[in-house]
Amino acid sequence: MVLPVLLIGQNKIELYGVAEQGGLLIGKISPKIENVFFDYKKIEIHNNTFLLGFDREAKLHHILSIVFDNGSMRSFRFEIKKKDYDIQEIKMPKSKAKYFKPKPAETISRINQEAENLRKARKLIEGNSSFEFCFSSPIENAPISSKFGAQRIINGKEKKPHLGLDLAAPKGTAVKAMNSGKIILTGDYYYNGKFVLIDHGLGLNSIYIHLSEIDVKIGDEIKTGDVIGKVGSTGISTGPHLHWGVRLNDVDIDPEVIPKMDNLFLSF
Ligand SMILES: [Zn+2]
């Protein structure tokens, strides 16, 4: 994916990406713009770029306010598309049934510790602003086995919605980074199995879970398309697949929009 050639004149703002619930927009602005407010909240700008994220249930009407270097301000209203989500019934095999039985105290403390590690790693991301506009899918042309936002019913019990995208691929298939960045955390966790968490800058991060193999280490700098691991079925998983998650700060993004990021949505 490459950014289309942009002729950014004075005081121009362009939004790329998919404007819908679960969507992500990339804003490109001229250097004459000093500040951008999204729904009245000031947002981070780096190299004349900023990111807007919309979660699964995001409201449909938004307001973008732009403050120019002469102090004047203009506001633009825009609407995002509402999404309908699947309801998905899943039967977990007996071999994974241990995950649903009451857990011993040491397992609970392990799970809590692992959740804390992920929270801390994501906090570190807030300080990084470098960001590159170049996206691709971790596995090109892989069939989607579970969409973002699906309401899940596992062995008859209602669970949290699915906040990533599942790509079906045989064990051992190479998994590639969706965007340039830095490896911020890896591990072999109770729920995730083997996973890699990447910081892409401006609060954007991606996670790749249930891997059979991890091919990077914490601190590695990677480019879009670099191999970071191999597809597997570690952690809670019904069979080999990649669970790919994307977040902008604390907003879960639908990874399916990522390969469509060079769409021009709006230009003012
Ligand atoms: Zn998944």
Side-chain angles (χ1 to χ4, degrees):
M1 291 291 152
V2 286
L3 178 66
V5 177
L6 292 181
L7 291 168
I8 301 177
Q10 277 194 347
N11 301 342
K12 190 161 187 184
I13 178 160
E14 287 177 297
L15 293 176
Y16 288 82
V18 181
E20 62 183 28
Q21 289 178 327
L24 178 70
L25 292 174
I26 297 182
K28 297 296 254 179
I29 57 177
S30 76
K32 294 267 178 196
I33 291 169
E34 209 160 83
N35 275 314
V36 176
F37 292 81
F38 175 49
D39 293 336
Y40 309 105
K41 223 173 110 186
K42 190 176 164 184
I43 56 174
E44 194 186 347
I45 304 172
H46 182 75
N47 281 341
N48 305 321
T49 304
F50 62 86
L51 303 178
L52 307 178
F54 307 94
D55 64 24
R56 184 181 185 270
E57 303 292 339
K59 63 189 179 87
L60 303 182
H61 294 272
H62 298 275
I63 186 158
L64 201 61
S65 305
I66 295 148
V67 180
F68 301 105
D69 61 358
N70 64 6
S72 68
M73 186 172 99
R74 276 187 77 188
S75 291
F76 305 90
R77 287 179 190 280
F78 66 96
E79 196 178 339
I80 62 166
K81 212 176 93 196
K82 187 171 169 46
K83 292 271 287 199
D84 291 318
Y85 300 105
D86 300 341
I87 293 177
Q88 204 178 30
E89 292 212 39
I90 299 165
K91 277 226 170 300
M92 273 285 171
K94 278 209 176 93
S95 60
K96 300 276 180 178
K98 62 170 179 160
Y99 292 109
F100 298 98
K101 288 203 182 112
K103 296 169 184 69
E106 69 216 53
T107 307
I108 291 171
S109 84
R110 174 186 169 188
I111 290 168
N112 290 342
Q113 183 58 55
E114 290 172 351
E116 182 58 22
N117 294 348
L118 274 164
R119 251 195 311 274
K120 274 193 192 149
R122 286 198 163 107
K123 272 267 167 236
L124 288 175
I125 287 169
E126 288 172 12
N128 172 20
S129 50
S130 63
F131 170 79
E132 209 178 325
F133 190 170
C134 178
F135 291 103
S136 70
S137 175
I139 310 169
E140 299 288 352
N141 304 316
I144 293 169
S145 53
S146 177
K147 283 185 162 272
F148 172 89
Q151 181 61 59
R152 294 190 139 179
I153 301 164
I154 301 181
N155 292 354
K157 276 198 184 136
E158 200 169 300
K159 297 280 170 184
K160 279 195 281 186
H162 185 234
L163 294 175
L165 186 72
D166 289 352
L167 298 178
K171 185 180 173 190
T173 305
V175 173
K176 298 170 179 176
M178 68 164 215
N179 185 242
S180 302
K182 193 174 183 178
I183 308 300
I184 199 103
L185 192 67
T186 67
D188 187 357
Y189 284 7
Y190 185 82
Y191 284 114
N192 290 353
K194 291 183 183 166
F195 73 95
V196 173
L197 177 66
I198 309 177
D199 171 13
H200 303 292
L202 285 177
L204 188 70
N205 60 90
S206 61
I207 194 164
Y208 308 79
I209 75 177
H210 308 310
L211 303 176
S212 58
E213 191 185 304
I214 295 171
D215 296 334
V216 285
K217 54 185 193 315
I218 294 173
D220 284 356
E221 305 265 358
I222 42 112
K223 288 278 172 204
T224 307
D226 284 355
V227 175
I228 53 168
K230 308 283 190 305
V231 170
S233 189
T234 54
I236 297 197
S237 162
T238 49
H241 75 284
L242 173 69
H243 173 103
W244 172 25
V246 179
R247 273 176 115 177
L248 177 63
N249 300 313
D250 51 3
V251 173
D252 289 290
I253 301 296
D254 179 358
E256 216 179 326
V257 305
I258 293 298
K260 304 170 191 162
M261 290 309 297
D262 57 355
N263 292 347
L264 182 61
F265 164 60
L266 269 181
S267 171
F268 305 115

